[in-house]
Amino acid sequence: MTTTKKASLTVRILIAMALGIFVGLSLQYLLTDIPDYPLPLGLNPVNIKAFLIDGVFHAGGQIFINSLQMLVVPLVFVSLVCGTSSLTDIRTLGRIGSKTILLYILTTALAISIAIGMALLLKPGAGINLPLQQSFSPSLPPSTVQVFINMFPSNPIAAMAQGEMLQIIVFAVLFGLSIALADSAGERMRQLFADLNVIVMKLVNIVMQLSPYGVFFLMAKQFTSLELENLGNLGWYLGLVLFVLVLHAFVVYGTLLAVLGRLNPLTFFTKMKETALFAFSTSSSNATIASNLATVTQKLGVDNKVASFSIPLGATINMDGTAIMQGVATVFIAQVYNIELGLSSYLMVILTATLASIGTAGVPGVGMVMLAMVLTSVGLPVEGIALIIGIDRLLDMTRTAVNICGDAMVSCLVARSEHCLDLQVFNNADAGKTA
Ligand code: ASP
C-alpha cells in the first residue's frame, strides 16, 4: 500500500506546483487588469493581495519552509554523528572528506568555466549598451582566511542555534569520532544516536508527506510577483543560464556518473525527481538537505557514513548551478557595459566564485550576494546586478535544483569509490518508496 502512496508523492508535488504556478500567474494577471466596475463581495486588489497573497499563501509557504528548516540541525547533527561514530578507521574519514571536497571544487570550477565559455561564444549582452554609472563603490569581499577560521565553532550550541552548517559539521565529525574512540561508553552512545537517527528520519518523512501543500503555497506566492515584463532584453541571458544549467546537470553529471561511477545516470535522475522539485520550489539547498539525505540513503543506496557528511557539506560549499549563473552574469554585465575582460580576469572570476560558495549558506538569493563579490574582484560595476535581479528568482529555483543534484551525484561517486554504495538499492526502482 505504501508503495503506491509514495510513488504518487512526486506526482502530487508536480500537480501542486503546476496548480500554484497557474493560480499565481492568474492572480498576477487579474490584479493588474482590474475591471472598472465594482467587484462582488467588496473584493478589490488590495484586500485580495492582503488576504490571499500576503496572508494565506505567505503563511502556508513560510510554515513549510520553517518545517523543512526545523529538520536541518537535528538531522545533520544526528546523522553525521551516526556516520562518523561507526568509522573504525580515521583514515577512511580523511579519504571520504578529501574526495568529496575535491569533487565539489572541481565540478564548481568546471561549471563556471563552461558558463563563461558559452557566454563568450553566444554573447547574451551584445547589443544592450549601458553607460557606466559613476556611483560605483566596490565592497570588499570577506577574506578567505576568515571563512576558514569561521568553520571552527567556539560554541557548538550557538552554532546550532544559528544554523552555522560548517561549524555544525566540524563539531559533529569530532563528536562522532570521539564516540568511535570511547570503547563501551562510545558503544552505548552509538546505539542511542542510531535510534535517534531512525526517529529523525521518521520526522523527515512526515514533513515530506505535507510537501504538496507547501509547494502549492510557495509557487502561488512566487508567481504572483514574478516580473515577467522584464524578460525583453534578458531573454538571451535567461535562456543561456537555463541552457547551461541543463547541460551541466544532464551531460556533465551524467558523464561523471557513467564514467567514474559506472552508474546509470537515468536511474539517478529518475530517483532525484522529488528532491529536485523540493529544491525548485524552496530555492534553498539548506531546506532541501532533509529530502536529499533521505533520497541519497534510501533510494540511491549511499551509506550514511558518506551521505551524512557529503549532503550537508554540499548544501553549503557546492553550488554548481549558482556558479553557472555567476559565470554567465559576469560576461553579460561586462558586455552590457562594454568592458573587455582578459583571460586573467576570467580566471579570477572562476577562483572567486568557487571560493565564494564555500561558507555561504544555501538559501534563496545568496547567489546574487556572491555575484557582487565576483564582479568586484574583476572591477565590474556591481550596479549591473540591478539588470538581472528582477528575473533572478526563476533562475534561483532552477540553479538550486542543479546545486542539490550535484551534491547527490558527488555523494554517489564517493560512496561508489569507497564501496559504500548498495547497487541493489541503486538499481531497484522501488527502493526507498516504502520508507
Ligand atoms: N538558492 C541557492 C541555493 O540554496 C543559492 C543561490 O544561488 O542563490 O543553493
Side-chain angles (χ1 to χ4, degrees), residues 283-286 315 319 322 325 361-368 396 399-400 403:
S283 289
S284 168
S285 297
N286 262 23
M319 297 184 189
T322 306
M325 174 280 287
V363 293
V366 77
M368 280 289 137
D396 197 359
R399 67 182 181 248
T400 308
N403 289 348

Side-chain angles (χ1 to χ4, degrees), residues 271 297-302 422-429 431-432:
K271 293 190 174 197
T297 50
Q298 296 168 5
K299 295 186 181 171
L300 294 167
V302 175
D422 188 334
L423 271 181
Q424 264 176 1
V425 174
F426 186 93
N427 291 321
N428 176 0

